[in-house]
Amino acid sequence: MENTKKVNYHESKFINQNGIQQTIMIPVVQDLAELKTLPENFIQNPAATHPFPPNASFEPIDMVKIQSREIRKLGRVCEDWGMFIIENHGLDPRLLHDRRGRAAEVVKRFFELPFEEKKSSVGTYTSADNMGYGRNFVKSEDQPLDWIDRLAMKAAPEGASDGLCVWPTNPPNFRSVIEKYVKATRKLMNELLQALAKAISLDKQSFSQYFNPNTSEINVRVNYYPPCPRPDLALGITPHTDASALTLLMQFESSNGLQVFKDDHWLTVPWPCNTLLVNLGDLMEIMSNGRLKSPWHRVMTQSEMGRSLIALFYNPPAQVEIGPVKGEEAMEEYKKVVVKEYLKHFYKVSPTASKVAIMYAKVN
């Protein structure tokens, strides 16, 4: 027998084509990581990866200079790629690198726990934005599965997860460490909202006007991609866009997993380990009237080592109606949408084979 280790399962619920709720059991990827062959239900045969163009402009954005000469570069990189790396971000290095409290450390310690300890430490709630420890975007029994284990929490607004056991109690400092990181990054993301507006010649409050400091949402997702026996056949996450305004990502252990679809090719994003990357979401595409587009992207797996990341999804309050901020004489390409309704639509149709969720907000 190839592997005698016990395989545990996540319970995943979905509504089938007849409107009936079904429950299926999804194997925990961490338990499969020692296999030498890839289970059939994880085979996706992803399209080939092409080398990143050597002359492509994907320079990091220096946050110290963001109010001056970096603005044009920010606009150019965003319009080309829909994502960008930031440097000199001003975050306290102890939030990231201090072994007693850094975000990377608590993430590592959680995923090192045995499955039963993880399950006893945090719940799973499919009816509450798929929060907790488990799987999401599973819609059928025959759907190819992503090579990922994940943990999701709602960090803002205050009290958003009251009554739900979505924050791990083990390690004991998990919540306090992540909440400190979220609090520090909110200021950074607010600064980016203003800079992005200026980068496309809009008033600096054009996007931030939708973000109330007390009611705006920050969802946290921690993704872990264990070593995979056949990275050529599997995907960490299938192609998608983000249902956010901004997504702030920090990766650990390894790089070279994130890929973006551009000019009909999949390209590996040159994103160094332990650096921050910002991804533009569908809500930003709507607010910018299509000038800043959410990129179609995916995550690849690796055979040598695991990789983890923390993603913060920054959104206006759920009940807020957002709409395109037009420049002079610009035609309206997108219509107004209520954030909650767009997210409901996004989760209903995902995953998809191409970028179709955003059509919900397009002007016919």
Side-chain angles (χ1 to χ4, degrees):
M1 184 177 294
E2 181 183 7
N3 192 346
T4 58
K5 180 180 178 180
K6 176 186 176 182
V7 175
N8 295 286
Y9 291 83
H10 292 298
E11 184 179 278
S12 184
K13 300 180 186 296
F14 66 93
I15 305 297
N16 65 20
Q17 293 180 339
N18 298 319
I20 300 173
Q21 186 180 79
Q22 278 188 244
T23 300
I24 58 174
M25 305 306 289
I26 308 296
V28 176
V29 176
Q30 279 186 273
D31 294 342
L32 304 177
E34 297 177 12
L35 298 178
K36 295 179 182 177
T37 58
L38 186 71
E40 186 176 349
N41 51 346
F42 287 91
I43 295 176
Q44 300 202 41
N45 292 306
T49 301
H50 288 253
F52 198 83
N55 58 346
S57 175
F58 196 73
E59 310 143 278
I61 303 301
D62 188 338
M63 292 302 296
V64 172
K65 305 172 184 175
I66 195 65
Q67 300 301 332
S68 55
R69 57 187 177 184
E70 291 290 274
I71 283 290
R72 287 187 179 181
K73 183 166 69 172
L74 175 64
R76 183 176 68 251
V77 173
C78 285
E79 290 183 336
D80 283 349
W81 299 100
M83 58 178 63
F84 55 95
I85 294 168
I86 54 177
E87 60 184 14
N88 295 325
H89 44 67
L91 296 180
D92 187 340
R94 289 173 294 182
L95 291 171
L96 313 178
H97 306 299
D98 186 88
R99 291 192 60 82
R100 294 168 298 175
R102 64 174 179 162
E105 187 70 16
V106 293
V107 167
K108 180 175 183 290
R109 288 171 58 196
F110 174 81
F111 282 102
E112 284 178 346
L113 293 172
F115 175 76
E116 293 303 330
E117 288 189 37
K118 287 197 283 284
K119 288 297 293 181
S120 64
S121 170
V122 59
T124 300
Y125 301 88
T126 57
S127 61
D129 297 326
N130 286 290
M131 291 195 291
Y133 173 56
R135 293 296 299 266
N136 59 350
F137 294 121
V138 178
K139 300 295 181 64
S140 70
E141 293 180 295
D142 57 357
Q143 174 185 326
L145 299 173
D146 295 340
W147 192 261
I148 183 177
D149 276 328
R150 68 110 181 116
L151 179 66
M153 299 78 68
K154 191 180 290 290
E158 186 176 349
S161 57
D162 286 355
L164 298 175
C165 179
V166 295
W167 289 95
T169 57
N170 190 6
N173 62 336
F174 186 99
R175 181 169 185 170
S176 63
V177 168
I178 299 299
E179 286 186 331
K180 285 179 183 177
Y181 174 64
V182 170
K183 183 178 180 180
T185 57
R186 182 194 284 269
K187 179 181 178 182
L188 174 62
M189 291 189 286
N190 286 336
E191 188 176 0
L192 286 170
L193 287 172
Q194 296 188 3
L196 285 164
K198 291 174 64 177
I200 56 173
S201 302
L202 297 175
D203 180 84
K204 70 177 184 178
Q205 302 296 336
S206 295
F207 305 143
S208 58
Q209 64 176 315
Y210 295 114
F211 289 78
N212 183 293
N214 297 317
T215 55
S216 293
E217 296 189 354
I218 301 178
N219 294 323
V220 182
R221 185 171 298 156
V222 182
N223 295 340
Y224 176 61
Y225 311 99
C228 179
R230 290 294 303 271
D232 58 320
L233 299 180
L235 282 170
I237 301 183
T238 53
H240 64 287
T241 59
D242 290 344
S244 62
L246 295 180
T247 306
L248 182 69
L249 301 120
M250 177 172 61
Q251 65 177 344
F252 316 113
E253 290 105 27
S254 180
S255 56
N256 300 324
L258 180 65
Q259 296 189 340
V260 64
F261 192 69
K262 181 174 172 59
D263 299 330
D264 297 322
H265 294 308
W266 283 106
L267 309 173
T268 299
V269 178
W271 176 20
C273 193
N274 296 320
T275 59
L276 298 179
L277 182 140
V278 179
N279 200 44
L280 305 182
D282 285 0
L283 301 184
M284 179 58 68
E285 181 166 334
I286 295 167
M287 293 187 296
S288 69
N289 201 34
R291 290 188 61 185
L292 300 173
K293 290 184 167 55
S294 56
W296 191 240
H297 58 287
R298 69 184 186 184
V299 177
M300 301 301 291
T301 61
Q302 301 176 96
S303 60
E304 300 84 10
M305 62 186 304
R307 172 174 168 268
S308 57
L309 65 80
I310 298 176
L312 305 184
F313 301 90
Y314 195 29
N315 287 350
Q319 304 299 336
V320 165
E321 183 181 67
I322 65 169
V325 181
K326 305 184 296 296
E328 293 183 7
E329 301 179 1
M331 293 185 62
E332 201 166 90
E333 301 288 339
Y334 296 76
K335 59 186 179 183
K336 294 180 179 180
V337 296
V338 175
V339 171
K340 182 178 181 179
E341 294 304 315
Y342 183 80
L343 296 180
K344 181 180 178 181
H345 163 77
F346 182 93
Y347 288 115
K348 180 180 179 180
V349 303
S350 298
T352 56
S354 59
K355 185 179 172 178
V356 299
I358 195 68
M359 301 306 296
Y360 176 87
K362 291 279 284 188
V363 173
N364 296 327

